[in-house]
Amino acid sequence: MVSQYVYPAAPIDKSALAGSLQVFGHSVMLPRAAYVDPAVFAWEQQHFFGSGWTCVGLSSQLPEAGDQRAESAGAGSVLLTRDDQGELHAFANTCRHRGHELLPCGAGAQRNAVICPYHSWTYSLSGELRFASGFKERDGFDRSAWGLVELPLAEWHGLIFVDGSGQAPSLGDSLRVLDGLVAPYEPERLVVAGRHEYDAAANWKILTENYHECYHCPVIHPELCRVSPPKSGENYPAQGTWVGGWMDLRDGMDTMSLDGTSLGVPLRGLDATGLRTVIYVNIFPNVLLSLHPDYVMTHRLVPLAADRTFIECTWAFAPEALDNPGFEPGYAVEFWDITNQQDWRACESVQRGLSSEHALPGPLSPDEDAVYQFVTMVARGYLGEPVWNPGRKAAAAG
Ligand code: FES
Ligand SMILES: [Fe+2]
């Protein structure tokens, strides 16, 4: 049987979406409900984050056999395990007995079995039920029928994605073009040496839209503008499941840091262009991947409510940089922590502004073509067109 990856339209005024889907230069932003309405948020949790490919962490967070983590995915959560063969698994984070979470969301464990904290049902790292107290004596109890519910998992350059629908098309196929841009950075080889968690009082799409434009940079990012001209670079042609572009470094600047100096080492796979640019890409729905000459910064967005988003930000460097005595990741972490906080403040203000019933969708500037690509992807998703669909054609920003 051929499974079909389909979902229903979102509970949002279809005619209001028509304005967002006009050609670039004539379109407007998403309707206000997309940012403030709990019903739209619940739909997004189910259909954007709970089905299709969602990033639930980094492979390096589970380096050893027996490592386990639970991470949010839509309205529920997934349990990740690494088995004795070194393979990663994703399971619905719910016990087959009476549904207790196997690990609290955001927590990790290291042991050779998955043990439910409620009545100690015990599963192997690959999900088979091994032990259920008291059931041994019960006639006809077939342990093999009560294993954990496994979900498709894909690793892509050190990121772990899970498909809650079990029916999304291949992640690799959907990201094939992006793969050519990302592969030279070898993110899977890099070592995370900086990590920040943020809790922003803003809708996840406001954070993403903000990431996709530097129209605001001259106004709120003086540090960024010192090292990278805000008008530089271009966006890549629309690809459907990811959106992004690149920017230049100013002459004399080696990377994005407060003085443009790198205290790391250039990534070994980059050509001359890669050493003079920074690539910014958003993999739908929740990864912002920023590729620098000497480090990779990854934001993973976890929506908590229509007006609240948890953000995990990591900075990864070449292992040979960490081998240098005295290596300190702060040059990159501090720069982006300042910039991140400038962004979150702006996004939180947008959220407050959109809480006004008088807020109406505004037009996009010529510098906001990547915002347009993202907005049209979301709008078409709201209309019931699955984003993770290799056949889908993205709107051209023209
Ligand atoms: S709910 Fe897990 S053992 Fe009872
Ligand atoms: Fe910004």
PDB file of all heavy atoms in Angstrom, residues 222-228 249 252-264 278 280 292-295 317 328-336 338-339:
ATOM      1  N   PRO A 222      24.512  46.945  15.597  1.00  0.00           N
ATOM      2  CA  PRO A 222      25.744  47.672  15.257  1.00  0.00           C
ATOM      3  C   PRO A 222      26.967  46.748  15.198  1.00  0.00           C
ATOM      4  O   PRO A 222      27.840  46.923  14.338  1.00  0.00           O
ATOM      5  CB  PRO A 222      25.878  48.711  16.382  1.00  0.00           C
ATOM      6  CG  PRO A 222      24.960  48.234  17.483  1.00  0.00           C
ATOM      7  CD  PRO A 222      23.874  47.455  16.814  1.00  0.00           C
ATOM      8  N   GLU A 223      27.025  45.759  16.073  1.00  0.00           N
ATOM      9  CA  GLU A 223      28.195  44.862  16.101  1.00  0.00           C
ATOM     10  C   GLU A 223      28.249  44.046  14.813  1.00  0.00           C
ATOM     11  O   GLU A 223      29.312  43.875  14.213  1.00  0.00           O
ATOM     12  CB  GLU A 223      28.126  43.921  17.320  1.00  0.00           C
ATOM     13  CG  GLU A 223      28.204  44.618  18.668  1.00  0.00           C
ATOM     14  CD  GLU A 223      26.857  45.177  19.143  1.00  0.00           C
ATOM     15  OE1 GLU A 223      25.841  44.965  18.448  1.00  0.00           O
ATOM     16  OE2 GLU A 223      26.843  45.836  20.196  1.00  0.00           O
ATOM     17  N   LEU A 224      27.111  43.539  14.387  1.00  0.00           N
ATOM     18  CA  LEU A 224      27.067  42.718  13.171  1.00  0.00           C
ATOM     19  C   LEU A 224      27.485  43.557  11.962  1.00  0.00           C
ATOM     20  O   LEU A 224      28.253  43.103  11.107  1.00  0.00           O
ATOM     21  CB  LEU A 224      25.660  42.139  12.987  1.00  0.00           C
ATOM     22  CG  LEU A 224      25.448  41.192  11.800  1.00  0.00           C
ATOM     23  CD1 LEU A 224      24.383  40.141  12.142  1.00  0.00           C
ATOM     24  CD2 LEU A 224      25.037  41.905  10.514  1.00  0.00           C
ATOM     25  N   CYS A 225      26.982  44.781  11.891  1.00  0.00           N
ATOM     26  CA  CYS A 225      27.265  45.616  10.710  1.00  0.00           C
ATOM     27  C   CYS A 225      28.734  46.003  10.623  1.00  0.00           C
ATOM     28  O   CYS A 225      29.221  46.320   9.539  1.00  0.00           O
ATOM     29  CB  CYS A 225      26.365  46.850  10.709  1.00  0.00           C
ATOM     30  SG  CYS A 225      24.625  46.422  10.466  1.00  0.00           S
ATOM     31  N   ARG A 226      29.444  45.956  11.745  1.00  0.00           N
ATOM     32  CA  ARG A 226      30.883  46.251  11.700  1.00  0.00           C
ATOM     33  C   ARG A 226      31.662  45.157  10.974  1.00  0.00           C
ATOM     34  O   ARG A 226      32.720  45.418  10.424  1.00  0.00           O
ATOM     35  CB  ARG A 226      31.437  46.421  13.123  1.00  0.00           C
ATOM     36  CG  ARG A 226      31.235  47.832  13.682  1.00  0.00           C
ATOM     37  CD  ARG A 226      32.219  48.150  14.806  1.00  0.00           C
ATOM     38  NE  ARG A 226      31.893  47.459  16.042  1.00  0.00           N
ATOM     39  CZ  ARG A 226      31.007  47.906  16.929  1.00  0.00           C
ATOM     40  NH1 ARG A 226      30.359  49.032  16.725  1.00  0.00           N
ATOM     41  NH2 ARG A 226      30.786  47.228  18.022  1.00  0.00           N
ATOM     42  N   VAL A 227      31.159  43.934  10.979  1.00  0.00           N
ATOM     43  CA  VAL A 227      31.913  42.829  10.361  1.00  0.00           C
ATOM     44  C   VAL A 227      31.290  42.315   9.062  1.00  0.00           C
ATOM     45  O   VAL A 227      31.965  41.660   8.262  1.00  0.00           O
ATOM     46  CB  VAL A 227      32.130  41.642  11.340  1.00  0.00           C
ATOM     47  CG1 VAL A 227      33.170  41.997  12.379  1.00  0.00           C
ATOM     48  CG2 VAL A 227      30.841  41.212  12.010  1.00  0.00           C
ATOM     49  N   SER A 228      30.012  42.605   8.840  1.00  0.00           N
ATOM     50  CA  SER A 228      29.344  42.084   7.642  1.00  0.00           C
ATOM     51  C   SER A 228      28.412  43.158   7.096  1.00  0.00           C
ATOM     52  O   SER A 228      27.539  43.642   7.820  1.00  0.00           O
ATOM     53  CB  SER A 228      28.551  40.825   8.026  1.00  0.00           C
ATOM     54  OG  SER A 228      27.945  40.235   6.905  1.00  0.00           O
ATOM     55  N   LEU A 249      31.701  38.851   4.386  1.00  0.00           N
ATOM     56  CA  LEU A 249      32.458  39.462   5.475  1.00  0.00           C
ATOM     57  C   LEU A 249      33.140  40.710   4.911  1.00  0.00           C
ATOM     58  O   LEU A 249      33.538  40.726   3.741  1.00  0.00           O
ATOM     59  CB  LEU A 249      33.519  38.490   5.997  1.00  0.00           C
ATOM     60  CG  LEU A 249      32.956  37.274   6.740  1.00  0.00           C
ATOM     61  CD1 LEU A 249      34.018  36.183   6.852  1.00  0.00           C
ATOM     62  CD2 LEU A 249      32.458  37.686   8.120  1.00  0.00           C
ATOM     63  N   GLY A 252      39.177  42.369   5.626  1.00  0.00           N
ATOM     64  CA  GLY A 252      39.940  42.378   6.876  1.00  0.00           C
ATOM     65  C   GLY A 252      39.261  41.618   8.000  1.00  0.00           C
ATOM     66  O   GLY A 252      39.856  41.416   9.055  1.00  0.00           O
ATOM     67  N   MET A 253      38.013  41.228   7.798  1.00  0.00           N
ATOM     68  CA  MET A 253      37.291  40.483   8.838  1.00  0.00           C
ATOM     69  C   MET A 253      37.339  38.992   8.486  1.00  0.00           C
ATOM     70  O   MET A 253      37.009  38.609   7.362  1.00  0.00           O
ATOM     71  CB  MET A 253      35.833  40.950   8.923  1.00  0.00           C
ATOM     72  CG  MET A 253      35.678  42.442   9.196  1.00  0.00           C
ATOM     73  SD  MET A 253      36.323  42.871  10.834  1.00  0.00           S
ATOM     74  CE  MET A 253      36.210  44.662  10.785  1.00  0.00           C
ATOM     75  N   ASP A 254      37.721  38.179   9.457  1.00  0.00           N
ATOM     76  CA  ASP A 254      37.859  36.738   9.193  1.00  0.00           C
ATOM     77  C   ASP A 254      36.598  35.952   9.503  1.00  0.00           C
ATOM     78  O   ASP A 254      36.396  34.857   8.990  1.00  0.00           O
ATOM     79  CB  ASP A 254      39.010  36.162  10.024  1.00  0.00           C
ATOM     80  CG  ASP A 254      40.351  36.739   9.596  1.00  0.00           C
ATOM     81  OD1 ASP A 254      40.489  37.055   8.397  1.00  0.00           O
ATOM     82  OD2 ASP A 254      41.229  36.888  10.463  1.00  0.00           O
ATOM     83  N   THR A 255      35.806  36.489  10.403  1.00  0.00           N
ATOM     84  CA  THR A 255      34.590  35.761  10.795  1.00  0.00           C
ATOM     85  C   THR A 255      33.659  36.711  11.522  1.00  0.00           C
ATOM     86  O   THR A 255      33.945  37.908  11.696  1.00  0.00           O
ATOM     87  CB  THR A 255      34.940  34.545  11.687  1.00  0.00           C
ATOM     88  OG1 THR A 255      33.787  33.704  11.803  1.00  0.00           O
ATOM     89  CG2 THR A 255      35.403  34.968  13.070  1.00  0.00           C
ATOM     90  N   MET A 256      32.523  36.187  11.973  1.00  0.00           N
ATOM     91  CA  MET A 256      31.585  36.967  12.766  1.00  0.00           C
ATOM     92  C   MET A 256      32.031  36.894  14.227  1.00  0.00           C
ATOM     93  O   MET A 256      31.804  35.896  14.928  1.00  0.00           O
ATOM     94  CB  MET A 256      30.164  36.410  12.612  1.00  0.00           C
ATOM     95  CG  MET A 256      29.651  36.396  11.181  1.00  0.00           C
ATOM     96  SD  MET A 256      29.512  38.023  10.430  1.00  0.00           S
ATOM     97  CE  MET A 256      27.888  38.510  10.976  1.00  0.00           C
ATOM     98  N   SER A 257      32.707  37.970  14.668  1.00  0.00           N
ATOM     99  CA  SER A 257      33.100  38.122  16.063  1.00  0.00           C
ATOM    100  C   SER A 257      33.127  39.632  16.303  1.00  0.00           C
ATOM    101  O   SER A 257      32.986  40.404  15.356  1.00  0.00           O
ATOM    102  CB  SER A 257      34.464  37.479  16.339  1.00  0.00           C
ATOM    103  OG  SER A 257      35.478  38.161  15.620  1.00  0.00           O
ATOM    104  N   LEU A 258      33.319  40.040  17.535  1.00  0.00           N
ATOM    105  CA  LEU A 258      33.187  41.478  17.809  1.00  0.00           C
ATOM    106  C   LEU A 258      34.213  42.307  17.055  1.00  0.00           C
ATOM    107  O   LEU A 258      33.924  43.413  16.626  1.00  0.00           O
ATOM    108  CB  LEU A 258      33.272  41.733  19.321  1.00  0.00           C
ATOM    109  CG  LEU A 258      32.030  41.263  20.095  1.00  0.00           C
ATOM    110  CD1 LEU A 258      32.258  41.358  21.601  1.00  0.00           C
ATOM    111  CD2 LEU A 258      30.785  42.060  19.690  1.00  0.00           C
ATOM    112  N   ASP A 259      35.432  41.764  16.850  1.00  0.00           N
ATOM    113  CA  ASP A 259      36.431  42.526  16.087  1.00  0.00           C
ATOM    114  C   ASP A 259      36.769  41.862  14.754  1.00  0.00           C
ATOM    115  O   ASP A 259      37.736  42.255  14.097  1.00  0.00           O
ATOM    116  CB  ASP A 259      37.703  42.732  16.928  1.00  0.00           C
ATOM    117  CG  ASP A 259      38.379  41.412  17.281  1.00  0.00           C
ATOM    118  OD1 ASP A 259      37.863  40.346  16.863  1.00  0.00           O
ATOM    119  OD2 ASP A 259      39.419  41.444  17.971  1.00  0.00           O
ATOM    120  N   GLY A 260      36.005  40.865  14.373  1.00  0.00           N
ATOM    121  CA  GLY A 260      36.231  40.203  13.084  1.00  0.00           C
ATOM    122  C   GLY A 260      37.365  39.202  13.088  1.00  0.00           C
ATOM    123  O   GLY A 260      37.678  38.591  12.067  1.00  0.00           O
ATOM    124  N   THR A 261      37.985  39.009  14.267  1.00  0.00           N
ATOM    125  CA  THR A 261      39.098  38.061  14.376  1.00  0.00           C
ATOM    126  C   THR A 261      38.561  36.670  14.695  1.00  0.00           C
ATOM    127  O   THR A 261      37.624  36.527  15.470  1.00  0.00           O
ATOM    128  CB  THR A 261      40.042  38.480  15.533  1.00  0.00           C
ATOM    129  OG1 THR A 261      40.456  39.811  15.283  1.00  0.00           O
ATOM    130  CG2 THR A 261      41.251  37.577  15.630  1.00  0.00           C
ATOM    131  N   SER A 262      39.191  35.660  14.107  1.00  0.00           N
ATOM    132  CA  SER A 262      38.858  34.282  14.459  1.00  0.00           C
ATOM    133  C   SER A 262      39.902  33.756  15.428  1.00  0.00           C
ATOM    134  O   SER A 262      41.105  33.896  15.195  1.00  0.00           O
ATOM    135  CB  SER A 262      38.852  33.399  13.210  1.00  0.00           C
ATOM    136  OG  SER A 262      38.753  32.042  13.598  1.00  0.00           O
ATOM    137  N   LEU A 263      39.429  33.118  16.497  1.00  0.00           N
ATOM    138  CA  LEU A 263      40.353  32.437  17.408  1.00  0.00           C
ATOM    139  C   LEU A 263      40.283  30.925  17.200  1.00  0.00           C
ATOM    140  O   LEU A 263      40.811  30.147  17.974  1.00  0.00           O
ATOM    141  CB  LEU A 263      40.027  32.797  18.865  1.00  0.00           C
ATOM    142  CG  LEU A 263      40.089  34.295  19.196  1.00  0.00           C
ATOM    143  CD1 LEU A 263      39.742  34.544  20.658  1.00  0.00           C
ATOM    144  CD2 LEU A 263      41.471  34.870  18.876  1.00  0.00           C
ATOM    145  N   GLY A 264      39.575  30.531  16.116  1.00  0.00           N
ATOM    146  CA  GLY A 264      39.503  29.111  15.765  1.00  0.00           C
ATOM    147  C   GLY A 264      40.389  28.837  14.571  1.00  0.00           C
ATOM    148  O   GLY A 264      41.383  29.544  14.346  1.00  0.00           O
ATOM    149  N   VAL A 278      29.245  34.079   4.931  1.00  0.00           N
ATOM    150  CA  VAL A 278      28.493  33.340   5.950  1.00  0.00           C
ATOM    151  C   VAL A 278      27.164  32.948   5.307  1.00  0.00           C
ATOM    152  O   VAL A 278      26.500  33.782   4.690  1.00  0.00           O
ATOM    153  CB  VAL A 278      28.238  34.204   7.210  1.00  0.00           C
ATOM    154  CG1 VAL A 278      27.521  33.375   8.277  1.00  0.00           C
ATOM    155  CG2 VAL A 278      29.538  34.767   7.753  1.00  0.00           C
ATOM    156  N   TYR A 280      23.344  31.486   5.712  1.00  0.00           N
ATOM    157  CA  TYR A 280      22.257  31.408   6.699  1.00  0.00           C
ATOM    158  C   TYR A 280      21.106  30.627   6.074  1.00  0.00           C
ATOM    159  O   TYR A 280      20.518  31.108   5.102  1.00  0.00           O
ATOM    160  CB  TYR A 280      21.760  32.810   7.062  1.00  0.00           C
ATOM    161  CG  TYR A 280      22.825  33.722   7.664  1.00  0.00           C
ATOM    162  CD1 TYR A 280      23.574  34.593   6.861  1.00  0.00           C
ATOM    163  CD2 TYR A 280      23.068  33.722   9.036  1.00  0.00           C
ATOM    164  CE1 TYR A 280      24.540  35.434   7.413  1.00  0.00           C
ATOM    165  CE2 TYR A 280      24.036  34.560   9.596  1.00  0.00           C
ATOM    166  CZ  TYR A 280      24.765  35.407   8.776  1.00  0.00           C
ATOM    167  OH  TYR A 280      25.719  36.232   9.324  1.00  0.00           O
ATOM    168  N   HIS A 292      29.731  29.551   9.140  1.00  0.00           N
ATOM    169  CA  HIS A 292      30.818  30.549   9.131  1.00  0.00           C
ATOM    170  C   HIS A 292      32.104  29.898   8.634  1.00  0.00           C
ATOM    171  O   HIS A 292      32.229  28.677   8.629  1.00  0.00           O
ATOM    172  CB  HIS A 292      31.044  31.054  10.556  1.00  0.00           C
ATOM    173  CG  HIS A 292      29.854  31.728  11.186  1.00  0.00           C
ATOM    174  ND1 HIS A 292      28.705  31.057  11.530  1.00  0.00           N
ATOM    175  CD2 HIS A 292      29.646  33.019  11.536  1.00  0.00           C
ATOM    176  CE1 HIS A 292      27.837  31.908  12.063  1.00  0.00           C
ATOM    177  NE2 HIS A 292      28.380  33.102  12.074  1.00  0.00           N
ATOM    178  N   PRO A 293      33.099  30.727   8.271  1.00  0.00           N
ATOM    179  CA  PRO A 293      34.362  30.137   7.817  1.00  0.00           C
ATOM    180  C   PRO A 293      35.022  29.221   8.842  1.00  0.00           C
ATOM    181  O   PRO A 293      35.750  28.306   8.484  1.00  0.00           O
ATOM    182  CB  PRO A 293      35.254  31.365   7.559  1.00  0.00           C
ATOM    183  CG  PRO A 293      34.291  32.468   7.272  1.00  0.00           C
ATOM    184  CD  PRO A 293      33.081  32.192   8.127  1.00  0.00           C
ATOM    185  N   ASP A 294      34.752  29.448  10.127  1.00  0.00           N
ATOM    186  CA  ASP A 294      35.465  28.709  11.168  1.00  0.00           C
ATOM    187  C   ASP A 294      34.553  28.083  12.218  1.00  0.00           C
ATOM    188  O   ASP A 294      35.049  27.485  13.178  1.00  0.00           O
ATOM    189  CB  ASP A 294      36.477  29.636  11.866  1.00  0.00           C
ATOM    190  CG  ASP A 294      35.792  30.877  12.399  1.00  0.00           C
ATOM    191  OD1 ASP A 294      34.700  31.238  11.890  1.00  0.00           O
ATOM    192  OD2 ASP A 294      36.330  31.495  13.327  1.00  0.00           O
ATOM    193  N   TYR A 295      33.257  28.211  12.078  1.00  0.00           N
ATOM    194  CA  TYR A 295      32.342  27.539  13.018  1.00  0.00           C
ATOM    195  C   TYR A 295      30.946  27.486  12.430  1.00  0.00           C
ATOM    196  O   TYR A 295      30.612  28.217  11.498  1.00  0.00           O
ATOM    197  CB  TYR A 295      32.320  28.225  14.402  1.00  0.00           C
ATOM    198  CG  TYR A 295      31.826  29.656  14.454  1.00  0.00           C
ATOM    199  CD1 TYR A 295      30.481  29.949  14.697  1.00  0.00           C
ATOM    200  CD2 TYR A 295      32.704  30.712  14.288  1.00  0.00           C
ATOM    201  CE1 TYR A 295      30.026  31.253  14.766  1.00  0.00           C
ATOM    202  CE2 TYR A 295      32.267  32.024  14.352  1.00  0.00           C
ATOM    203  CZ  TYR A 295      30.930  32.297  14.590  1.00  0.00           C
ATOM    204  OH  TYR A 295      30.482  33.588  14.660  1.00  0.00           O
ATOM    205  N   PHE A 317      32.919  23.806  16.421  1.00  0.00           N
ATOM    206  CA  PHE A 317      34.217  24.184  15.850  1.00  0.00           C
ATOM    207  C   PHE A 317      34.952  22.927  15.377  1.00  0.00           C
ATOM    208  O   PHE A 317      34.650  21.809  15.801  1.00  0.00           O
ATOM    209  CB  PHE A 317      35.067  24.894  16.917  1.00  0.00           C
ATOM    210  CG  PHE A 317      34.416  26.125  17.483  1.00  0.00           C
ATOM    211  CD1 PHE A 317      33.434  26.022  18.466  1.00  0.00           C
ATOM    212  CD2 PHE A 317      34.770  27.389  17.024  1.00  0.00           C
ATOM    213  CE1 PHE A 317      32.818  27.160  18.985  1.00  0.00           C
ATOM    214  CE2 PHE A 317      34.159  28.526  17.537  1.00  0.00           C
ATOM    215  CZ  PHE A 317      33.187  28.400  18.521  1.00  0.00           C
ATOM    216  N   GLU A 328      39.384  29.215  22.955  1.00  0.00           N
ATOM    217  CA  GLU A 328      38.259  29.755  23.716  1.00  0.00           C
ATOM    218  C   GLU A 328      37.147  30.094  22.721  1.00  0.00           C
ATOM    219  O   GLU A 328      37.360  30.923  21.832  1.00  0.00           O
ATOM    220  CB  GLU A 328      38.730  31.033  24.437  1.00  0.00           C
ATOM    221  CG  GLU A 328      38.422  31.090  25.905  1.00  0.00           C
ATOM    222  CD  GLU A 328      36.934  31.094  26.192  1.00  0.00           C
ATOM    223  OE1 GLU A 328      36.211  31.854  25.529  1.00  0.00           O
ATOM    224  OE2 GLU A 328      36.494  30.298  27.051  1.00  0.00           O
ATOM    225  N   PRO A 329      35.978  29.457  22.850  1.00  0.00           N
ATOM    226  CA  PRO A 329      34.915  29.706  21.856  1.00  0.00           C
ATOM    227  C   PRO A 329      34.204  31.040  22.024  1.00  0.00           C
ATOM    228  O   PRO A 329      33.365  31.407  21.203  1.00  0.00           O
ATOM    229  CB  PRO A 329      33.944  28.544  22.114  1.00  0.00           C
ATOM    230  CG  PRO A 329      34.131  28.209  23.551  1.00  0.00           C
ATOM    231  CD  PRO A 329      35.578  28.467  23.864  1.00  0.00           C
ATOM    232  N   GLY A 330      34.569  31.770  23.087  1.00  0.00           N
ATOM    233  CA  GLY A 330      33.818  32.983  23.427  1.00  0.00           C
ATOM    234  C   GLY A 330      33.770  34.018  22.315  1.00  0.00           C
ATOM    235  O   GLY A 330      32.818  34.797  22.228  1.00  0.00           O
ATOM    236  N   TYR A 331      34.782  34.053  21.439  1.00  0.00           N
ATOM    237  CA  TYR A 331      34.777  35.080  20.381  1.00  0.00           C
ATOM    238  C   TYR A 331      33.545  34.952  19.504  1.00  0.00           C
ATOM    239  O   TYR A 331      32.980  35.945  19.039  1.00  0.00           O
ATOM    240  CB  TYR A 331      36.064  35.007  19.537  1.00  0.00           C
ATOM    241  CG  TYR A 331      36.131  33.846  18.560  1.00  0.00           C
ATOM    242  CD1 TYR A 331      35.804  34.015  17.222  1.00  0.00           C
ATOM    243  CD2 TYR A 331      36.528  32.580  18.978  1.00  0.00           C
ATOM    244  CE1 TYR A 331      35.854  32.955  16.320  1.00  0.00           C
ATOM    245  CE2 TYR A 331      36.584  31.515  18.088  1.00  0.00           C
ATOM    246  CZ  TYR A 331      36.249  31.704  16.766  1.00  0.00           C
ATOM    247  OH  TYR A 331      36.293  30.653  15.884  1.00  0.00           O
ATOM    248  N   ALA A 332      33.097  33.702  19.271  1.00  0.00           N
ATOM    249  CA  ALA A 332      31.903  33.477  18.454  1.00  0.00           C
ATOM    250  C   ALA A 332      30.637  33.518  19.314  1.00  0.00           C
ATOM    251  O   ALA A 332      29.629  34.109  18.920  1.00  0.00           O
ATOM    252  CB  ALA A 332      32.014  32.108  17.771  1.00  0.00           C
ATOM    253  N   VAL A 333      30.723  32.895  20.484  1.00  0.00           N
ATOM    254  CA  VAL A 333      29.536  32.775  21.345  1.00  0.00           C
ATOM    255  C   VAL A 333      29.092  34.157  21.818  1.00  0.00           C
ATOM    256  O   VAL A 333      27.906  34.502  21.768  1.00  0.00           O
ATOM    257  CB  VAL A 333      29.845  31.852  22.542  1.00  0.00           C
ATOM    258  CG1 VAL A 333      28.682  31.837  23.527  1.00  0.00           C
ATOM    259  CG2 VAL A 333      30.165  30.441  22.056  1.00  0.00           C
ATOM    260  N   GLU A 334      30.063  34.968  22.249  1.00  0.00           N
ATOM    261  CA  GLU A 334      29.695  36.284  22.794  1.00  0.00           C
ATOM    262  C   GLU A 334      29.089  37.170  21.697  1.00  0.00           C
ATOM    263  O   GLU A 334      28.087  37.858  21.907  1.00  0.00           O
ATOM    264  CB  GLU A 334      30.933  36.951  23.392  1.00  0.00           C
ATOM    265  CG  GLU A 334      30.628  38.232  24.132  1.00  0.00           C
ATOM    266  CD  GLU A 334      31.888  39.015  24.509  1.00  0.00           C
ATOM    267  OE1 GLU A 334      33.014  38.473  24.339  1.00  0.00           O
ATOM    268  OE2 GLU A 334      31.741  40.163  24.932  1.00  0.00           O
ATOM    269  N   PHE A 335      29.706  37.123  20.523  1.00  0.00           N
ATOM    270  CA  PHE A 335      29.195  37.943  19.412  1.00  0.00           C
ATOM    271  C   PHE A 335      27.740  37.608  19.122  1.00  0.00           C
ATOM    272  O   PHE A 335      26.873  38.477  19.021  1.00  0.00           O
ATOM    273  CB  PHE A 335      30.045  37.720  18.148  1.00  0.00           C
ATOM    274  CG  PHE A 335      29.455  38.373  16.935  1.00  0.00           C
ATOM    275  CD1 PHE A 335      29.740  39.697  16.657  1.00  0.00           C
ATOM    276  CD2 PHE A 335      28.592  37.676  16.090  1.00  0.00           C
ATOM    277  CE1 PHE A 335      29.177  40.326  15.548  1.00  0.00           C
ATOM    278  CE2 PHE A 335      28.023  38.291  14.990  1.00  0.00           C
ATOM    279  CZ  PHE A 335      28.314  39.619  14.715  1.00  0.00           C
ATOM    280  N   TRP A 336      27.467  36.305  18.997  1.00  0.00           N
ATOM    281  CA  TRP A 336      26.104  35.914  18.622  1.00  0.00           C
ATOM    282  C   TRP A 336      25.139  35.986  19.794  1.00  0.00           C
ATOM    283  O   TRP A 336      23.931  36.154  19.589  1.00  0.00           O
ATOM    284  CB  TRP A 336      26.092  34.538  17.957  1.00  0.00           C
ATOM    285  CG  TRP A 336      26.445  34.626  16.497  1.00  0.00           C
ATOM    286  CD1 TRP A 336      27.566  34.145  15.882  1.00  0.00           C
ATOM    287  CD2 TRP A 336      25.670  35.264  15.457  1.00  0.00           C
ATOM    288  NE1 TRP A 336      27.532  34.435  14.531  1.00  0.00           N
ATOM    289  CE2 TRP A 336      26.379  35.123  14.247  1.00  0.00           C
ATOM    290  CE3 TRP A 336      24.457  35.945  15.441  1.00  0.00           C
ATOM    291  CZ2 TRP A 336      25.908  35.637  13.028  1.00  0.00           C
ATOM    292  CZ3 TRP A 336      23.984  36.459  14.239  1.00  0.00           C
ATOM    293  CH2 TRP A 336      24.716  36.302  13.052  1.00  0.00           C
ATOM    294  N   ILE A 338      25.115  38.418  21.935  1.00  0.00           N
ATOM    295  CA  ILE A 338      24.686  39.830  21.871  1.00  0.00           C
ATOM    296  C   ILE A 338      23.656  39.997  20.755  1.00  0.00           C
ATOM    297  O   ILE A 338      22.587  40.587  20.930  1.00  0.00           O
ATOM    298  CB  ILE A 338      25.909  40.745  21.624  1.00  0.00           C
ATOM    299  CG1 ILE A 338      26.794  40.790  22.870  1.00  0.00           C
ATOM    300  CG2 ILE A 338      25.469  42.152  21.200  1.00  0.00           C
ATOM    301  CD1 ILE A 338      28.151  41.443  22.644  1.00  0.00           C
ATOM    302  N   THR A 339      23.989  39.436  19.585  1.00  0.00           N
ATOM    303  CA  THR A 339      23.101  39.597  18.418  1.00  0.00           C
ATOM    304  C   THR A 339      21.782  38.859  18.624  1.00  0.00           C
ATOM    305  O   THR A 339      20.704  39.386  18.302  1.00  0.00           O
ATOM    306  CB  THR A 339      23.841  39.098  17.156  1.00  0.00           C
ATOM    307  OG1 THR A 339      25.122  39.740  17.113  1.00  0.00           O
ATOM    308  CG2 THR A 339      23.070  39.435  15.887  1.00  0.00           C
TER     309      THR A 339
END
